[in-house]
Amino acid sequence: TARAVVVAAGSTRQLLTECEAILASLRACPQTPKKNKVLLRAFALATKKHCVRADIPAGHARLGFVAKDAQQMAEQLEGAVKHLQSHIRDTSWTLPRQGVTFRSTALVSGRGRSSKVAALFSGQGSQYVNMFDEVAMNWPTFRQSVVAMDAAGDKVCGGSASAALYPRAAYGSEEKTKEAADKRRLVKLAAPTTVACSIGSYDIFNLAGFKPDFVAGHSLGELSALYAAGALKRDEVCKLVWHRSQAMATNTEGSGNGGMAAVIGDGALNISITVPGVWIANRNSPRQVVITGGAAEVKRQSALLESQGFKVVALSVANAYHSPHMQGASDYFMKLLSTAQVEAPRKAKVFSNVTAEAYPVNQSSVREILSRHITSSVRFVEQIENMYAQGARVFVEFGPRNTL
């Protein structure tokens, strides 16, 4: 089992001494396969003593890496010791080949720090079969989120996130067809599977001491952000995700006749929508927005934007998400929110897709803003800019891939 390791000490020189001591303890063990129990015990003791933890003083030097066994740990420490000896005054560095990272102090300090930390949660679209499978096998905390999502799915519609996440292996006679079927099922259950993985991975970090100042999500990811901020408990967010997914699949105007397209290029944020029935769904980056609306209307708008020099990529969707076409789904979701157990977000500031500003710290505002979420544009660029303006300098993404 791979272990996350953080070696820390009061100064860089003391850190070097500590790394040399750990390396010496590993080298002192018999290296032959027949006597590897001693080496395994030394590896277990070292990784337990130097596990990821929340009580490392901000001013201490620290070295981090992930090691699958004692041999890899020794190789990583050898590289680290050599680099520390020749770069003792450096404040930070990374050894990409060994996967080792060093900092002479914490990236951000404690209370009153000027730099703040933001947690970001991705939406659906980057999911894949067997995502986070090794995490699921090794972290009970992560599995709890998948179990909670399964329990909610069973109550809401009889659905199972785990069955889509981790399907059984194909029999020989069905190898060609089962892989495609598994991918199609995961697409249908993209929302519950993505959120289960996002909040499960966040919980691991949170238990290790990760406490963000700000949180935000992209589209669906805003529900995960509200969970991280304490506005929604785990069982409640799981239930809402299933209901939201069901609502968006069945309560949509012109279902099956919608379309979306990504518009890419300099100045994409400032494009003009000239075709009636087309809206901006997502403001993803300074060079990318997504348009949404009826399929025919989106096609006409796409042609106009291409003539202006933008690259336009049609998205594989059948509905006009984040547009007035979703009003039926939004109305259904609003009814659910009226009875949902919602708390004021007090653990962190939550920046909304709808307003790009932080949610007010009260229950009614959470319900009101979230009720507009399905039909509103995702103002992601403004969210990031506003978090940055308020001091965020470290952004940690939770989700299936590095997408945000």
Side-chain angles (χ1 to χ4, degrees):
T1 301
R3 306 289 179 89
V5 177
V6 178
V7 184
S11 68
T12 302
R13 290 192 180 279
Q14 290 174 346
L15 179 67
L16 171 59
T17 300
E18 184 67 25
C19 289
E20 289 173 333
I22 301 169
L23 181 59
S25 69
L26 295 175
R27 284 174 171 169
C29 298
Q31 304 295 312
T32 56
K34 292 183 179 179
K35 298 181 179 180
N36 64 2
K37 287 185 178 180
V38 176
L39 187 59
L40 286 172
R41 189 178 299 113
F43 175 68
L45 289 173
T47 54
K48 182 178 181 180
K49 179 180 178 181
H50 301 285
C51 63
V52 178
R53 54 206 184 276
D55 59 352
I56 299 174
H60 280 207
R62 70 278 319 279
L63 188 84
F65 54 87
V66 175
K68 65 181 180 180
D69 54 32
Q71 181 180 359
Q72 183 182 23
M73 187 176 188
E75 292 172 355
Q76 290 167 317
L77 287 169
E78 285 173 359
V81 166
K82 183 177 180 180
H83 202 82
L84 283 168
Q85 289 171 339
S86 58
H87 296 77
I88 198 70
R89 295 186 182 278
D90 287 3
T91 58
S92 65
W93 46 259
T94 299
L95 303 180
R97 189 177 69 82
Q98 292 96 336
V100 177
T101 299
F102 163 82
R103 288 193 63 86
S104 59
T105 60
L107 186 59
V108 293
S109 303
R111 291 182 178 179
R113 64 179 185 258
S114 57
S115 296
K116 298 191 180 298
V117 178
L120 303 178
F121 297 88
S122 59
Q124 62 195 66
S126 57
Q127 67 280 344
Y128 57 95
V129 175
N130 289 321
M131 57 184 172
F132 286 85
D133 53 353
E134 291 190 9
V135 179
M137 287 188 287
N138 292 298
W139 295 88
T141 299
F142 182 89
R143 292 198 296 272
Q144 289 169 7
S145 70
V146 179
V147 170
M149 193 62 75
D150 276 353
D154 187 54
K155 290 180 181 178
V156 173
C157 60
S160 170
S162 61
L165 277 169
Y166 311 118
R168 64 167 176 79
Y171 298 125
S173 60
E174 59 180 8
E175 283 185 2
K176 294 182 179 179
T177 59
K178 190 173 186 301
E179 182 178 354
D182 289 342
K183 289 181 179 178
R184 287 194 299 270
R185 178 167 58 171
L186 186 64
V187 169
K188 290 181 179 179
L189 298 181
T193 54
T194 298
V195 171
C197 291
S198 295
I199 66 175
S201 55
Y202 175 81
D203 284 343
I204 293 172
F205 274 60
N206 188 246
L207 287 173
F210 179 71
K211 309 291 183 186
D213 301 284
F214 309 139
V215 295
H218 187 284
S219 187
L220 170 73
E222 190 153 317
L223 290 173
S224 299
L226 287 164
Y227 165 77
L232 296 171
K233 296 189 182 299
R234 184 168 57 193
D235 290 346
E236 194 67 39
V237 74
C238 291
K239 183 175 68 176
L240 287 175
V241 166
W242 280 103
H243 278 301
R244 181 182 184 273
S245 182
Q246 292 289 105
M248 294 179 73
T250 58
N251 294 274
T252 304
E253 178 185 331
S255 182
N257 296 314
M260 301 178 75
V263 182
I264 305 165
D266 293 336
L269 278 179
N270 301 315
I271 62 170
S272 296
I273 301 298
T274 56
V275 176
V278 177
W279 300 267
I280 293 180
N282 305 343
R283 292 176 170 86
N284 291 334
S285 77
R287 299 189 73 254
Q288 187 200 92
V289 299
V290 174
I291 58 175
T292 182
E297 290 80 2
V298 168
K299 189 174 182 180
R300 289 202 301 273
Q301 185 67 66
S302 296
L304 291 171
L305 291 167
E306 285 179 327
S307 71
Q308 297 170 24
F310 291 101
K311 179 181 179 181
V312 182
V313 180
L315 303 184
S316 181
V317 297
N319 293 318
Y321 298 113
H322 289 289
S323 81
H325 284 231
M326 306 305 296
Q327 190 59 54
S330 183
D331 292 342
Y332 176 80
F333 195 59
M334 285 173 64
K335 292 179 182 178
L336 293 170
L337 285 172
S338 66
T339 59
Q341 294 181 0
V342 178
E343 303 293 336
R346 300 188 185 280
K347 294 182 179 179
K349 279 189 178 182
V350 188
F351 284 75
S352 164
N353 289 172
V354 178
T355 66
E357 302 288 346
Y359 275 80
V361 187
N362 60 71
Q363 297 172 332
S364 59
S365 293
V366 173
R367 286 193 172 91
E368 191 278 323
I369 294 174
L370 199 54
S371 70
R372 294 186 277 144
H373 191 261
I374 291 177
T375 56
S376 296
S377 176
V378 176
R379 298 167 62 180
F380 190 68
V381 172
E382 293 168 84
Q383 286 176 269
I384 298 298
E385 290 175 342
N386 287 338
M387 284 188 283
Y388 187 89
Q390 294 190 33
R393 294 297 183 270
V394 179
F395 295 83
V396 182
E397 179 178 349
F398 294 90
R401 300 181 193 272
N402 181 14
T403 59
L404 301 179

